[in-house]
Structures are given as C-alpha cells and as structure tokens.
C-alpha cells in the first residue's frame, strides 16, 4: 500500500512557519523583500513567477517583480542586478531560469550577491553546500528533504538514486542525501545500466525532464519515489518523469505531479528569503 506525499500539505506547513517568522521580524521593524526577475515570455516561467508572488503575499514578504523583454541586453540585466545588490531594502534576488539564449546565464548568476542568493546558485553558496556548511540550500532539493522529514523517512544507510545531474537539482540533491548518510548514485543520459541501478534503489529522485521515464519495472517493491519532472503534454496536462499509475503500486511513498515537489520549491524559496533577511539584519 502506497502513501502519496502531498507537496500541497507540506508546503503549507512550511509557509505557515515562514509567515510566523516574518511576523516576528515585522514586530522588530524588519520587512523581508524578494526581487524576482523574469526575462522573456516563456509561459512556464510566467506561471512559476506568479506562484512565487502569491507565496510572498501569503507569507507577508514584500515582492518586487521585474519583467524584461526577451531581447534585453546582457548589460541591462547586469545593471538591474547591480542596483538590487546595492539596495538595502532588497533581501533576496532571484533570476528565473532559463534565460534567453543570447544571455550569459553563468555571468548573471555569479553577479548576485551571495547573501542575497536565495536560489543558492552562486559558486560561493554551492561551495558551502559541498562542505556541508551553508546558509541557503537550493530550493528544489531542500524542498524534497523537507518532504522526507515530514514523513519521517530516514535516509541513513539507504541506497538513493538520483536520475539527472543538473546544477539546480541532481548535483545538490546528491549532496544533501549524502549528508544524511545515504549511499548515493547519480544516473544521467550516458548511464549504461540504468534499469539495474534504479531497481536497487530504496529512494528514487527522478529529475530528467522526460515524461514517464521511470517505469514500474525499474522500481523495487517498497521504494520511495520522488518525481521532480513537470512536463507539459500535448493535451495541456502536466506529467511527471515517473509513470505514476504503474509505479505507485510498487512504492511505499510517491509524490504526485502536480501538487508534489513543485509547491515545495516555492516554500523553500520563502524560507531562504527569511534566512537572507535575518543574515542581513545580523539575526543569524
Ligand atoms: N527555473 C526552474 N527552476 C528554477 C529555480 O529553482 N530557480 C530559478 N531561478 N529558476 C528556475
């Protein structure tokens, strides 16, 4: 019998905790502020940015939104980030990815001040995560860890398989699981014996960006399945990287799409904004 881990419920609990922390800061005259930059008109990015704004409203965080045209020049984006870096009333800066192809993503991410880097994408913050001594954790992997904690799922000594090696999800996910004493394997597009590796996993994190990539024959009985994929199908419906209907029968826990990992990413962003605000006001 499987249990669905509801990202809606867990993220609500996190956001309520954040709202309490924000209220306590307000009582001391401190207002938290998150600036979100969106370049271009990618519909999925627009949805994410709108959801971030709604979460800020719920938590009592002031949100600033900068929507720039797709043809924005690198210098213009740099100028905006430098302005936000210097603005003491702005605690967190997030530049929604992917950026249009002509922009240098790496240069942009490296420019955001590490103490305002609520995505934890700056190399300085990535380095802190590597050595297990960090202020911010990347939003999606940290959201997944929160879901596992909420369900009292221990990773100690477990075989965890992460499918996908992105800087945003796969690599930091592996680091966080390792910190919890898991034995971690990262699989990717060149992995040769994928089915064999995944079928030995106690915990599977699927972050490949391919609909129904993880099939029931790859899943060990009783595995915990975390689906990071958000794939838009031709009929407009969202579909994860996991064949949910078939895999759920073998799982002990499984996350749905939508309503699984997605809301957790945003809840962690709220948490990171509080952390940034506290650090900048010497409260942490
Ligand atoms: N695009 C997809 N996921 C993310 C994220 O976590 N942060 C940012 N900035 N862009 C994204």
């Amino acid at each position: 019998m499987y249990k669905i881990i509801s990202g809606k419920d867990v993220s609500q609990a996190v956001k309520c905790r954040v709202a309490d922390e924000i209220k306590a800061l307000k009582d001391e005259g401190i207002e938290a502020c998150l600036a979100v930059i969106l370049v271009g008109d990618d519909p999925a990015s627009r949805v994410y940015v709108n959801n971030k704004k709604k979460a800020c409203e719920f938590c009592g965080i002031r949100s600033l939104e900068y929507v720039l045209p797709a043809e924005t020049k690198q210098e213009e984006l740099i100028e905006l980030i430098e302005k936000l870096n210097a603005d003491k009333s702005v605690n967190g800066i997030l530049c929604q990815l992917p950026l249009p192809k002509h922009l240098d993503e790496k240069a942009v991410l490296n420019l955001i001040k590490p103490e305002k880097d609520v995505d934890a994408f700056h190399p300085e913050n990535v380095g802190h995560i590597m050595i297990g001594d960090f202020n911010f954790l990347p939003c999606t992997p940290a959201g997944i860890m929160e879901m596992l904690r909420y369900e009292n799922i221990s990773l100690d000594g477990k075989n965890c398989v992460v499918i996908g090696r992105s800087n945003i999800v796969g690599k930091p996910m592996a680091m966080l699981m390792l910190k919890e004493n898991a034995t971690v394997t990262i699989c990717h597009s060149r992995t040769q014996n994928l089915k064999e590796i995944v079928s030995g996993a106690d915990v599977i994190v699927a972050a490949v960006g391919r609909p129904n990539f993880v099939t029931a024959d790859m899943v060990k009985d009783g595995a915990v399945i975390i689906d990071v994929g958000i794939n838009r199908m031709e009929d407009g419906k969202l579909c994860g990287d996991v064949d949910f209907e078939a895999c759920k029968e073998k799982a002990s826990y499984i996350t749905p799409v939508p309503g699984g990992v997605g809301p957790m990413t945003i809840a962690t962003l709220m948490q990171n904004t509080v952390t940034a605000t506290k650090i900048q006001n010497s409260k942490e």
Side-chain angles (χ1 to χ4, degrees), residues 48 52 94-98 119 121 139-140 168 265:
Y48 293 138
K52 284 165 189 171
L94 178 144
C95 185
Q96 186 66 32
L97 302 180
D119 261 324
F121 290 165
C139 297
T140 301
I168 297 185
T265 300

Side-chain angles (χ1 to χ4, degrees), residues 252-265:
S252 54
Y253 292 88
I254 188 165
T255 65
V257 177
V261 172
M264 292 308 301
T265 300

Side-chain angles (χ1 to χ4, degrees), residues 207-263:
V208 252
R210 286 175 48 191
N212 299 323
F213 183 81
V214 175
T215 48
D217 58 331
M218 297 181 189
V219 176
K220 179 167 94 171
D221 276 330
V224 175
I225 307 177
I226 308 291
D227 192 348
V228 183
I230 303 179
N231 308 292
R232 179 79 59 186
M233 307 305 278
E234 274 178 8
D235 62 3
K237 286 202 182 123
L238 289 180
C239 168
D241 289 350
V242 174
D243 179 357
F244 181 87
E245 287 308 320
C247 291
K248 70 181 187 193
E249 302 302 339
K250 295 181 98 177
S252 54
Y253 292 88
I254 188 165
T255 65
V257 177
V261 172

